Amino acid sequence: MTHASPDSPDWLDAARLQDALDRHRREDAGRIAEILAKARELKGLDGDEVAALAALDRPDLLAELFATARAVKEAIYGRRMVFFAPLYISNLCGNECLYCAFRASNNSVIRHTLNQEEIAREVEILIEQGHKRVLMVAGESYRGGFEYVLDSIATIYSVKRANGAIRRVNANLAPLTVDQFRALHGAGIGTYQLFQETYHRETYAACHPRGQKADFNWRVTAFDRAMEAGIDDVGMGVLFGLADWRFEVLALMSHIAHLEERFGVGCHTISVPRLEPAIGSAMATHPPVPVSDADFKKLVAILRLAVPYTGLIMSTRESAAMRRETYALGVSQISAGSRTNPGGYAAAEQFESSQFQLGDHRSLEEVVQDIAAMGYIPSFCTACYRVGRTGGDFMDLAKTGDIKAKCAPNAVGTFLEYLLDYAGPDTLAEGERRIAAEIAAMAPEEQRVARRLADMVRAGKRDVFC
């Protein structure tokens, strides 16, 4: 596919972003206190405020930042944690991304594109584990063209098992034309996800020397085309480790502000992957600008305050220990039991055909039990997508914190469904304790709805929600 590259977006002003960072090199405790107070009002933050928080270093101020992030997340979403699984359907790619195992010239990776029967088998296994939503992922090259993507979505939705089905397919795909985005929307996807990787133009050019992805402008304007086509839920992300994380966070904020100004709605999710080792990639093993664990936790907390209505996704790139630490900093969605090689659920995890090395290898049930024991409520909810509560309708509820009245009862219902249909005895016992504690902590109306949904699930009904 060939395309005409759009003009450079005027909302991405690197000099302005760098100036903001330069003006906030030193901590200002009084200013920080004002910013955190504003954040607790769920109003979000502007670029200057984000730059000020990025300079934080004092332990006491960092502790206040983290406490504020947790309070903001719980005010909007409560203590629920949404689960999903990635489903890689192909690792063919025409790009030359130096940090990625899937890049075109990498002869170390074992290539495979799943046929529809193989995709169906992967989906069966994910359903049998208890998953209800998947993120379909493919390299930027498809045997069969774009129709292969649409056929794969249809296959995922078509698989039915005695104990359920995948209720929502999100998609992580290369930038498309407006017409292709319309077709993707018509296929019934939930969120369209795309990572810019880096907003730093010079770094981007150095990391993407060849392929369609080398066109910075085509990639950075993809969400505009998606929204023009009717997709109102989009998921952003930066691959941290390629450039200064502070610049990337400010650029991400500029991108969100642009979408809100043009379309009236920002991004539905933000992902925060760090570079992890990948077969055949020296850059992945030795990131150009590595992000320390301390800075990683800080940027997660800052994003929660900056865009409080947005779902923050923590993938299995990170270790189990790091994932646990970020839950309290504002993370609201996680993957579990993940495989990043095509066919990895039916066969086995295989580093030689994977996009990157996983940090958390635990099964879905192990993560569910761990989450519940930590005091969170695992959620498999897809209600918002199903009732059309997306885009602006979702944001209107999320920005005021009213979405929690939906999220909390739905989390209880879907978690109980998981426990009764898939969990072992220990997980079931831990989960029942967590559900009882969650309902007890709810407001009266939320309690009523949650108990009604739970009663329906215990009576044998499934896929119930408000």
Side-chain angles (χ1 to χ4, degrees), residues 83 128-132 163 364-373 376-380 411-439 454 457-458 461-462:
F83 279 77
E128 289 164 358
Q129 291 175 357
H131 282 290
K132 301 301 181 189
N163 54 354
L364 172 61
E365 181 166 3
E366 289 174 311
V367 179
V368 165
Q369 186 173 358
D370 187 41
I371 285 283
Y376 298 97
I377 187 83
S379 174
F380 297 83
V412 166
T414 58
F415 184 30
L416 182 58
E417 185 177 337
Y418 171 84
L419 292 173
L420 297 179
D421 292 349
Y422 307 98
D426 291 343
T427 307
L428 175 60
E430 184 64 54
E432 290 279 18
R433 285 192 290 271
R434 179 86 289 277
I435 286 175
E438 182 73 9
I439 292 177
V457 172
R458 292 189 192 280
K461 295 191 177 186
R462 295 294 180 266

Side-chain angles (χ1 to χ4, degrees), residues 389-413:
R389 202 160 49 222
T390 60
D393 290 338
F394 175 85
M395 294 302 174
D396 288 343
L397 292 173
K399 288 182 177 181
T400 59
D402 292 337
I403 194 66
K404 188 167 68 169
K406 306 289 186 182
C407 290
N410 286 335
V412 166

